[in-house]
Amino acid sequence: MAQDYDEARPDVAERSEETLKRVKEMDAPNARTVTEELDEGEALDGPELPGAIVDDELVVRVLPQAADEFTCGSCFLVRHRSQLAREKDGVKFCRDCEA
């Protein structure tokens, strides 16, 4: 007679059923009660958490590229002309990208 090795042992199956019954009997919160508790809970106006999104407007002053600066054709950073490593077909490359 063939034996089914995938079938759970009787003692394991009984313990699993008992555990499932105990979990069902527990007074676990459902989605509705959790939502109600959150709505009734403390307001979120307390101290800000690190990394929180802030709705403040960021003000940045943008300066145009100066005459003694160039934009690298590889990293696209604005560099001083002293950082110019080479120029090929009108495209300038900085020392960091050429290293």
Side-chain angles (χ1 to χ4, degrees):
M1 181 167 124
Q3 185 172 358
D4 186 9
Y5 289 102
D6 292 333
E7 185 178 347
R9 296 190 315 250
D11 59 330
V12 174
E14 287 177 21
R15 279 187 275 161
S16 296
E17 289 176 19
E18 290 174 13
T19 305
L20 183 59
K21 286 178 187 176
R22 277 190 248 138
V23 169
K24 287 181 179 179
E25 291 171 358
M26 295 173 77
D27 187 27
N30 59 22
R32 181 174 291 144
T33 58
V34 171
T35 305
E36 290 171 358
E37 289 176 8
L38 287 175
D39 290 341
E40 294 172 1
E42 298 177 15
L44 296 176
D45 294 335
E48 292 183 19
L49 299 174
I53 298 175
V54 181
D55 291 334
D56 294 339
E57 185 176 326
L58 181 63
V59 179
V60 178
R61 190 171 142 215
V62 179
L63 299 175
Q65 184 172 322
D68 63 344
E69 296 176 332
F70 70 96
T71 303
C72 177
S74 180
C75 64
F76 302 104
L77 293 176
V78 176
R79 304 287 189 146
H80 189 264
R81 69 174 175 224
S82 63
Q83 294 292 314
L84 181 64
R86 72 178 173 101
E87 183 175 354
K88 181 179 180 184
D89 299 328
V91 180
K92 300 175 181 178
F93 296 93
C94 68
R95 292 181 183 172
D96 292 338
C97 293
E98 290 296 306

